[in-house]
Amino acid sequence: MNSKYPLYFIILALGSLLLGVIFGLVASLQYIYPEFLKNALPFIKLRPLHVTSGISWIILGAIGSIYFYLNNLKFYSVKLLKTHFTLYLLTGISLYFSYVLGNMDGREYLAFTPFLIIPILFGWLLFGINLFKTLWSSISNWPVYYWMWGTGIVFMIYHLSEAHFWLIEEFRMNFTKDMAVQWKSYGSFTGSWNMLVYGISIYVMTKIKGDEQMGRSNKAFFFYFLGLTNLMFGWAHHTYFLPTQPWIRYVAYIVSMSEWIVLASIIYDWRRGLPIPNFQKHSMAIKLMKTADFWIFANLVLALLISIPAINYYTHGTHITVAHSMGTTIGINTTILFSSIYYIVGTLNKKYQETTVLQKVSIKLFNGALIVFVVSLLAAGIKRSHWIHFSDNSSFSEMQDAQYVVYILLTVSGLGLLMAIYFIAIPVLKRMMQLIRH
Amino acid sequence: MIYSSHSYTPSIALSPKAITGQNLWQRNNCWSCHQIYGLGGYLGPDLTNIYSNPNKGPDYISTFLNSGVQSMPVYNFSNSEKEAIIEYLKAIDQSGVYPNKESVIEATGWVKIKYKDE
């Protein structure tokens, strides 16, 4: 290891995950008791705190992992890496301050004061320079995961900028366009981090299995291109019901449906046996990757269904969308990143490759709690959809009150998830701290 | 093409006052509970067509803003701020319909939506 900074990124990521789930849990309590902490920690602060912490976990965890993997090669510039880390540490602190002080003139998902997008974009630029300079000489022979990382960074820079086009007054005057572009950018922004995270999963599986072919097959590249089209056009289910021209809605529909190919392929591969190896070494990393595999399957089915306009018509604007986003960010992104982090500590110290009993139980708790969590969101969504489309007379608060049991289920399973996440994250965090001290 | 204004029907131009309303909407995180076209948070109702709703409309909105009912924060908007927010909600209302109850669901899975000016 010629630098500890990749590990610093991961520690920052884990810290933001541990904080983020607490904000989430408190926010879910406010669904049950609207007056709970209403003045001390109002929902308008909790929600952006929760969302930003969650996104920061995914992004910092991916950045840290990728830096670590690049660090095995000859790094272009450790100085750029240090600058990037310092910049993000300071930006992170300012972000939380901006929320706590209530200085949030941004928009949903990127609620911080828009000025902070400048250091964020600059950090991505530093990351991009470092990655491309490190890998440039071998570009003709890149395995798919390098392509995914490179693409993820470029698109991230673009879509983060796109999400701030509204700062131009002219742009924002056209309400429908502004809104469509905003939601398109969110879909693609998520697609960009998925590129980084999926690249990490292929990297980890390749290395554990010791089979470089995995990242070089035609099929791997086919999926890369399919993922890329979806990154560019797969935001459809956000915007079907905006009054945009029909052709935009058609293209979006067709592209989203191409994902069925991925699903078919996954089912096909399953029947032939999982591509994930069953080795003794890195057992925790492998278990987590298998968990991700299950959730990829479950979420793809849901995502495909809600991308059919006739179904989207009923699911849009309800918690079913949240079931989709929580299923993917927690079930897929979080498990892949955990797997990568366990793999990293395992490569630094072989002692850390084994799975403890507590960790085994935690993965079970994680899956059980996440299933209940997603199901209760689906139930809440169905109820809300029914209220939107079929009941003209009952008031919003009557509908909310009728959701009481569902919201309790949501909070209880949320607590289960929080515990599982703590049990999985804290041991690896401790190990990482020890590794840094030596 | 996505950036071309012709791709959107009808193209509603926000007035400076509506822009002020949008700023207030952002600064006070109304989106964390409310949706526009179904997009936003789910702790409150969708507000796309509240302006033209025969049972609601501008005066109703105005009384709601500083009411602090349920989980809604207790805001302290001045009259001109309230007017700006209402102006913004009015512009949104004119841009289209949501939930789009007159859409036609086709057997192909396609949904033909109704536009405001049809």
Side-chain angles (χ1 to χ4, degrees):
Chain A
M1 210 175 24
N2 52 40
S3 166
K4 287 181 178 168
Y5 279 80
L7 300 189
Y8 293 160
F9 266 108
I10 294 177
I11 290 174
L12 211 57
L14 287 168
S16 110
L17 172 68
L18 296 180
L19 266 177
V21 285
I22 295 199
F23 295 133
L25 191 68
V26 180
S28 78
L29 282 170
Q30 291 187 348
Y31 266 82
I32 309 179
Y33 308 108
E35 309 278 337
F36 177 69
L37 290 180
K38 179 172 167 177
N39 296 319
L41 247 182
F43 192 77
I44 53 164
K45 290 186 180 177
L46 273 174
R47 180 163 173 217
L49 280 169
H50 171 65
V51 171
T52 301
S53 306
I55 297 179
S56 305
W57 145 243
I58 296 174
I59 281 176
L60 295 172
I63 292 177
S65 296
I66 295 171
Y67 269 133
F68 183 86
Y69 299 136
L70 293 179
N71 209 357
N72 294 335
L73 308 167
K74 188 152 171 33
F75 224 152
Y76 170 64
S77 163
V78 176
K79 209 171 180 180
L80 279 191
L81 166 61
K82 286 183 185 167
T83 316
H84 186 188
F85 178 78
T86 317
L87 188 69
Y88 272 16
L89 184 65
L90 296 177
T91 311
I93 296 170
S94 329
L95 254 165
Y96 280 101
F97 264 106
S98 132
Y99 287 164
V100 173
L101 298 177
N103 191 354
M104 302 175 263
D105 37 354
R107 289 184 170 179
E108 188 170 7
Y109 298 113
L110 302 164
F112 48 82
T113 185
F115 162 77
L116 287 175
I117 196 63
I118 294 168
I120 294 176
L121 281 173
F122 191 64
W124 281 103
L125 201 63
L126 297 180
F127 186 33
I129 293 173
N130 229 340
L131 180 121
F132 284 108
K133 286 277 189 182
T134 305
L135 300 174
W136 197 253
S137 57
S138 65
I139 191 164
S140 57
N141 194 26
W142 273 10
V144 77
Y145 43 83
Y146 288 169
W147 283 107
M148 292 175 122
W149 295 342
T151 314
I153 295 173
V154 171
F155 278 87
M156 184 63 92
I157 294 176
Y158 178 63
H159 293 295
L160 274 177
S161 314
E162 186 184 41
H164 286 84
F165 282 178
W166 63 269
L167 291 168
I168 305 162
E169 199 83 358
E170 296 268 290
F171 189 84
R172 139 187 215 203
M173 272 174 43
N174 185 331
F175 175 76
T176 315
K177 172 163 83 177
D178 180 16
M179 187 119 175
V181 169
Q182 187 195 354
W183 284 87
K184 161 186 179 299
S185 79
Y186 292 162
S188 302
F189 166 58
T190 318
S192 311
W193 86 52
N194 276 331
M195 274 279 174
L196 301 178
V197 175
Y198 292 161
I200 289 172
S201 78
I202 297 178
Y203 180 94
V204 171
M205 289 199 283
T206 306
K207 297 296 166 180
I208 294 181
K209 205 173 176 188
D211 175 10
E212 283 299 330
Q213 218 28 54
M214 272 181 80
R216 295 184 188 278
S217 64
N218 287 337
K219 191 167 156 189
F221 277 95
F222 171 72
F223 282 137
Y224 163 71
F225 285 111
L226 196 63
L228 193 59
T229 11
N230 269 283
L231 185 162
M232 294 193 265
F233 302 102
W235 33 274
H237 67 96
H238 296 153
T239 53
Y240 281 141
F241 296 102
L242 283 177
T244 55
Q245 290 284 15
W247 73 263
I248 293 196
R249 303 172 56 243
Y250 271 125
V251 172
Y253 182 24
I254 293 165
V255 173
S256 346
M257 288 305 109
S258 68
E259 289 256 356
W260 283 105
I261 304 171
V262 182
L263 182 66
S265 157
I266 290 178
I267 295 172
Y268 179 72
D269 277 349
W270 251 17
R271 290 166 59 190
R272 291 190 332 176
L274 280 179
I276 305 168
N278 250 324
F279 294 159
Q280 272 305 308
K281 59 174 189 179
H282 294 296
S283 64
M284 186 65 179
I286 293 172
K287 281 196 180 67
L288 286 160
M289 210 56 98
K290 284 185 176 164
T291 309
D293 199 58
F294 164 75
W295 285 106
I296 288 175
F297 180 75
N299 278 297
L300 202 54
V301 174
L302 181 61
L304 283 170
L305 290 176
I306 64 175
S307 295
I308 298 173
I311 296 180
N312 189 272
Y313 177 70
Y314 293 106
T315 61
H316 181 74
T318 75
H319 307 71
I320 295 173
T321 317
V322 191
H324 156 66
S325 62
M326 294 298 99
T328 47
T329 51
I330 305 175
I332 307 175
N333 294 319
T334 297
T335 47
I336 291 177
L337 289 172
F338 271 153
S339 173
S340 162
I341 295 172
Y342 268 91
Y343 170 74
I344 288 174
V345 293
T347 56
L348 293 174
N349 188 335
K350 285 212 164 47
K351 266 201 333 235
Y352 295 158
Q353 293 186 1
E354 288 142 31
T355 317
T356 63
V357 178
L358 178 65
Q359 284 161 357
K360 265 188 210 154
V361 176
S362 304
I363 294 187
K364 291 219 168 79
L365 176 63
F366 179 91
N367 282 323
L370 188 53
I371 288 171
V372 180
F373 192 72
V374 168
V375 168
S376 47
L377 283 168
L378 292 175
I382 291 170
K383 212 161 207 166
R384 185 181 177 102
S385 176
H386 182 87
W387 174 76
I388 295 175
H389 296 281
F390 304 105
S391 71
D392 281 335
N393 306 320
S394 74
S395 76
F396 175 81
S397 60
E398 278 166 8
M399 185 272 294
Q400 277 296 73
D401 290 345
Q403 302 266 35
Y404 188 72
V405 178
V406 178
Y407 290 149
I408 296 226
L409 217 58
L410 195 67
T411 304
V412 172
S413 55
L415 180 66
L417 262 179
L418 180 142
M419 283 163 55
I421 286 173
Y422 269 65
F423 289 145
I424 297 172
I426 289 189
V428 80
L429 184 61
K430 273 196 196 145
R431 289 167 182 181
M432 213 155 249
M433 301 277 214
Q434 277 162 4
L435 286 166
I436 282 177
R437 263 185 252 121
H438 296 304
Chain B
M1 282 186 289
I2 299 200
Y3 299 128
S4 148
S5 300
H6 301 299
S7 304
Y8 306 94
T9 29
S11 40
I12 287 290
L14 295 188
S15 66
K17 193 166 166 192
I19 295 264
T20 309
Q22 189 180 46
N23 284 335
L24 288 164
W25 177 270
Q26 287 177 205
R27 207 169 303 141
N28 294 289
N29 294 3
C30 307
W31 49 261
S32 61
C33 303
H34 291 289
Q35 311 99 65
I36 301 293
Y37 286 106
L39 300 163
Y42 303 132
L43 199 48
D46 189 287
L47 301 179
T48 312
N49 298 121
I50 186 172
Y51 185 86
S52 62
N53 184 324
N55 299 322
K56 298 181 177 173
D59 294 336
Y60 176 90
I61 300 172
S62 184
T63 39
F64 240 99
L65 287 179
N66 290 344
S67 68
V69 293
Q70 298 273 6
S71 48
M72 187 151 151
V74 190
Y75 290 115
N76 207 351
F77 292 119
S78 68
N79 279 339
S80 69
E81 285 174 329
K82 282 191 203 167
E83 278 166 25
I85 292 176
I86 292 170
E87 189 68 21
Y88 177 52
L89 289 172
K90 179 179 168 192
I92 294 174
D93 181 72
Q94 285 166 349
S95 73
V97 190
Y98 188 85
N100 208 305
K101 293 196 175 174
E102 284 169 55
S103 350
V104 181
I105 299 179
E106 296 173 1
T108 53
W110 185 248
V111 176
K112 200 166 166 297
I113 63 174
K114 182 186 184 313
Y115 292 93
K116 193 80 175 183
D117 51 357
E118 286 176 334

